[in-house]
Amino acid sequence: MSRDTTPPRAGTGTPAIEVRGLTKRYVQRGGVVKQAVDGLDLTVERGEIFAVLGPNGAGKTTTVEILEGFRKRDGGEIQVLGEDPALAGRAWRSRIGVVLQDSRDQAELTVRELVHHFATFYPAPRDPEEVIAAVGLLEKASTRARQLSGGQRRRLDVALGIMGDPELLFLDEPTTGFDPQARRSFWDLVLALREGGTTILLTTHYLDEAAHLADRAAVVRDGKVVALGAPADLGGPGALRPVVRWVSDGVARAERTDHPTALVTSLAATLAGPDGEVPGLRVLQPSLEDVYLELIGAAPVAPSGSPSGSAPSAAAPPGAPHDAPTSAVLSAPVAEEASR
Amino acid sequence: MSTQTSPTRALPAGRPLPGVLGTGLRRTWIEMLAFLRERDAVVFILAYPLIMMAIFATVFGQEEQGSAAGSVPYAQYFLPGMVATGVMLTSFQNLAISIAVERDDGTLKRLRATPLPATSYFLGKIGQVLLVTTVQTAALLLLATTAFDVPMPTTAAAWTTFAWVFVLGTATGSVLGVAFSSVPRSGKSVSAVVAPIVLVLQFISGVFFAFFALPSWMQQIASVFPLKWLAQGMRSVFLPPEAAALETGGSWQHGATAAVLVAWLVVGLVVGVRTFRWRRRDDG
């Protein structure tokens, strides 16, 4: 995708998105109040890909839809491209692009018809044929949206979202349900957009997606940001402290420590069997997913700084493969999206 | 991917946003494309009155529709009812269903995320309704004159009446369609909700049966709704002046027709403006 006029839009003064103390409540059936967003702070700099991670019901979509101007907030300060989305008009809309989660609309129109039509909404649209090529749908340009595969349909969504050559693009869970190959090529598309200077706010369930795409990520839980930073640094420096796991009296134990050697030495002195081995001993570095699961409270790696052996590990039964916490991500009982 | 330094990109603020009217016309074009590709819509909205006209006029072609006050050939009495039905289907049923489906499948939300003005969206809908009703009515008249020898009105006064009843009926039906699109709980149930209402109105409003032959309580119920007046207005165009004697009031009641249609237009506008949503009910 080539654009002649692409000075990176980074560093042009104000951040692309600035959120301070955002709150949003929903009153559910029966009068139960759900605090969907609870004092959330966020800053997205121009030119970066920023990922918002979190389980269903954490407040991701609510937050993003407030930033897109779809929902009203209860409190807090928001600036998106220097304007309040709740008050912003058409000119502001022409500067943002939105790719929603759900896409099964306008199924009877072809890729080319839709892309050309959406171009007419904007003051300075991209060239429609160039965009079709950029998202890799040239061969499907005359195909109706109904007949596209899931991955192709998402590419069409992106094409429609970037028609106005937005400064800021919202991508809401763009690769859910993709096969690995489709995800890879979708990621390349997103990275190419960033190269072109577009700021991207991405929400996702997938850590590998955030790790691959995002310059920075925020983990949202219960309507608050609980961790912020480059994906590799999430959870702070302590998050990647090694975990020592062992088995004592048939119970799996775990402890996080900055001094694994000392801990292992003391375990060897007290627990080693006749063969000199401590049962089930492993020294592990938490994976990004372990850190993430700990952050969202789904599966703590190990209570940090707890007395040795006092807390049974939540994750690994004796002899479980060391990547058990990672596989737990697939079955972690995360809260269902609250019905509204 | 070229990232060489070049002069500042044209700021969107420097270029005017596309005009509301031009965008409305482009919406009309895309709405027509989408409509013509929905086979259900083409059959049950565009072709339905034509099919009914062909069937009923063929089966009852030798009969007369009338009473002691006089009578007219069956096809001639049937035509205005079909014109009125076509206007109602294309305005009310078409918009109630299409907007409910667009709300359900996310079309409205996607459009709302762009700088498309709401006015242009509705202009597109109105344009599509006008195009389809015009084609539909022209085809009906052509079918009626050529296949069933229904005489066309010859006076300017009759065509003037036709024009205002047609335009007012289309406007009222469209506005009510927009308002009604918020009633069904989802896009899936919308056809099931709208179709029976439209069908019942057709039966009690003098479309399939002669209005004067209906029981008076049914006539009174029908008189509350616009279709009865739309059909009566069309009868005043396509039936000979003497046929006014067949009407329940003994006259064409143009004043009442205009009043009822305008009243529904206003109700539809007020309700539509207050209830219109770009998102599904379960979507915040």
Side-chain angles (χ1 to χ4, degrees):
Chain A
M1 178 176 354
S2 78
R3 283 195 286 176
D4 305 329
T5 53
T6 44
R9 279 168 275 194
T12 52
T14 56
I17 298 176
E18 196 147 31
V19 179
R20 290 289 163 265
L22 179 65
T23 57
K24 176 74 182 178
R25 286 182 303 277
Y26 294 110
V27 180
Q28 295 171 324
R29 210 164 285 177
V32 181
V33 175
K34 178 182 159 61
Q35 190 74 39
V37 184
D38 190 10
L40 183 135
D41 298 328
L42 208 62
T43 303
V44 178
E45 301 295 343
R46 288 187 190 250
E48 73 174 335
I49 298 182
F50 189 97
V52 178
L53 292 160
N56 286 331
K60 293 193 305 288
T61 297
T62 299
T63 301
V64 169
E65 294 203 340
I66 289 171
L67 297 178
E68 292 164 347
F70 278 126
R71 293 171 196 251
K72 293 198 176 81
R73 63 185 184 269
D74 292 330
E77 293 296 315
I78 304 181
Q79 294 272 296
V80 177
L81 300 179
E83 292 192 49
D84 180 344
L87 308 172
R90 288 179 65 199
W92 178 80
R93 291 220 164 271
S94 73
R95 297 166 63 204
I96 67 165
V98 175
V99 176
L100 299 161
Q101 267 183 43
D102 201 25
S103 61
R104 54 197 168 88
D105 57 310
Q106 303 176 88
E108 299 302 337
L109 299 170
T110 69
V111 170
R112 180 165 282 129
E113 286 161 355
L114 281 167
V115 170
H116 279 263
H117 179 59
F118 272 64
T120 67
F121 299 167
Y122 295 91
R126 289 173 176 236
D127 178 65
E129 291 300 318
E130 243 180 66
V131 168
I132 293 171
V135 300
L137 286 178
L138 217 44
E139 284 172 18
K140 295 281 175 185
S142 303
T143 304
R144 293 190 191 182
R146 174 187 299 289
Q147 289 150 353
L148 298 176
S149 72
Q152 291 164 345
R153 176 76 223 212
R154 284 317 251 161
R155 289 167 167 276
L156 172 60
D157 291 337
V158 172
L160 299 181
I162 64 175
M163 265 333 291
D165 197 9
E167 293 165 54
L168 170 64
L169 179 66
F170 293 94
L171 290 176
D172 201 357
E173 296 182 10
T175 64
T176 302
F178 276 29
D179 64 51
Q181 195 191 345
R183 287 180 87 202
R184 282 279 159 186
S185 65
F186 192 89
W187 289 351
D188 291 342
L189 171 60
V190 174
L191 291 171
L193 288 172
R194 195 246 323 255
E195 287 296 306
T198 309
T199 306
I200 295 167
L201 181 75
L202 164 82
T203 66
T204 181
H205 287 302
Y206 302 121
L207 271 189
D208 56 337
E209 185 158 285
H212 189 87
L213 293 177
D215 301 299
R216 292 194 303 143
V219 177
V220 176
R221 176 187 172 188
D222 300 330
K224 288 192 194 71
V225 173
V226 294
L228 176 70
D233 302 336
L234 281 180
L240 293 179
R241 275 190 306 167
V243 182
V244 178
R245 295 184 186 281
W246 70 96
V247 177
S248 166
D249 301 330
V251 179
R253 311 280 188 183
E255 186 179 326
R256 303 185 67 167
T257 173
D258 291 321
H259 308 287
T261 310
L263 178 57
V264 170
T265 307
S266 79
L267 289 173
T270 54
L271 294 173
D275 58 354
E277 290 296 314
V278 176
L281 179 69
R282 289 173 180 359
V283 180
L284 308 169
Q285 186 178 48
S287 71
L288 191 55
E289 300 217 326
D290 295 338
V291 175
Y292 169 69
L293 288 173
E294 191 177 30
L295 285 168
I296 64 170
V301 173
S304 191
S306 62
S308 175
S310 69
S313 162
H322 77 280
D323 60 353
T326 303
S327 60
V329 74
L330 300 171
S331 57
V334 286
E336 287 297 308
E337 187 90 40
S339 63
R340 289 165 194 137
Chain B
M1 211 70 241
S2 67
T3 48
Q4 77 269 32
T5 50
S6 48
T8 48
R9 39 190 262 122
L11 286 173
R15 296 220 209 156
L17 288 156
V20 172
L21 192 64
T23 311
L25 287 174
R26 285 186 285 272
R27 285 298 306 165
T28 298
W29 166 246
I30 214 88
E31 294 275 10
M32 278 305 295
L33 275 184
F35 173 82
L36 292 173
R37 287 178 192 169
E38 286 281 358
R39 209 169 300 139
D40 294 1
V42 172
V43 172
F44 290 101
I45 288 169
L46 178 60
Y48 176 90
L50 290 157
I51 296 168
M52 289 296 149
M53 182 77 208
I55 294 173
F56 277 73
T58 304
V59 173
F60 301 105
Q62 307 311 312
E63 299 181 15
E64 296 266 311
Q65 208 53 292
S67 65
S71 71
V72 290
Y74 186 91
Q76 190 175 4
Y77 192 91
F78 198 69
L79 173 66
M82 282 301 108
V83 172
T85 297
V87 167
M88 183 180 68
L89 290 176
T90 309
S91 57
F92 176 73
Q93 177 163 330
N94 172 30
L95 289 192
I97 293 178
S98 72
I99 295 177
V101 168
E102 286 179 357
R103 183 177 292 117
D104 197 60
D105 71 16
T107 304
L108 292 187
K109 193 172 178 183
R110 186 194 296 276
L111 292 175
R112 196 60 177 155
T114 74
L116 174 75
T119 311
S120 299
Y121 171 77
F122 288 110
L123 283 176
K125 288 287 181 199
I126 292 166
Q128 185 246 326
V129 169
L130 280 177
L131 273 177
V132 175
T133 33
T134 302
V135 168
Q136 182 178 48
T137 305
L140 256 178
L141 299 189
L142 195 68
L143 177 71
T145 47
T146 54
F148 303 106
D149 299 324
V150 177
M152 286 297 114
T154 49
T155 65
W159 286 111
T160 306
T161 305
F162 173 81
W164 74 255
V165 173
F166 181 83
V167 169
L168 186 57
T170 303
T172 303
S174 300
V175 163
L176 289 173
V178 173
F180 199 85
S181 73
S182 300
V183 172
R185 289 203 67 82
S186 79
K188 289 180 199 72
S189 62
V190 60
S191 292
V193 176
V194 174
I197 294 173
V198 167
L199 201 60
V200 168
L201 282 182
Q202 288 174 48
F203 277 110
I204 67 171
S205 299
V207 166
F208 286 125
F209 309 124
F211 192 72
F212 58 78
L214 297 175
S216 67
W217 62 267
M218 209 181 271
Q219 291 173 343
Q220 281 156 12
I221 293 173
S223 299
V224 177
F225 297 101
L227 184 60
K228 180 258 178 187
W229 299 98
L230 190 50
Q232 186 170 322
M234 287 299 171
R235 283 199 295 275
S236 79
V237 173
F238 293 100
L239 301 194
E242 317 83 74
L246 290 171
E247 298 298 322
T248 44
S251 76
W252 296 121
Q253 298 176 295
H254 281 160
T257 301
V260 173
L261 291 180
V262 167
W264 277 98
L265 179 73
V266 171
V267 168
L269 267 180
V270 170
V271 173
V273 166
R274 279 163 183 260
T275 59
F276 190 84
R277 298 172 53 100
W278 295 90
R279 291 181 294 143
R280 286 194 298 272
R281 262 189 238 193
D282 61 358
D283 188 18

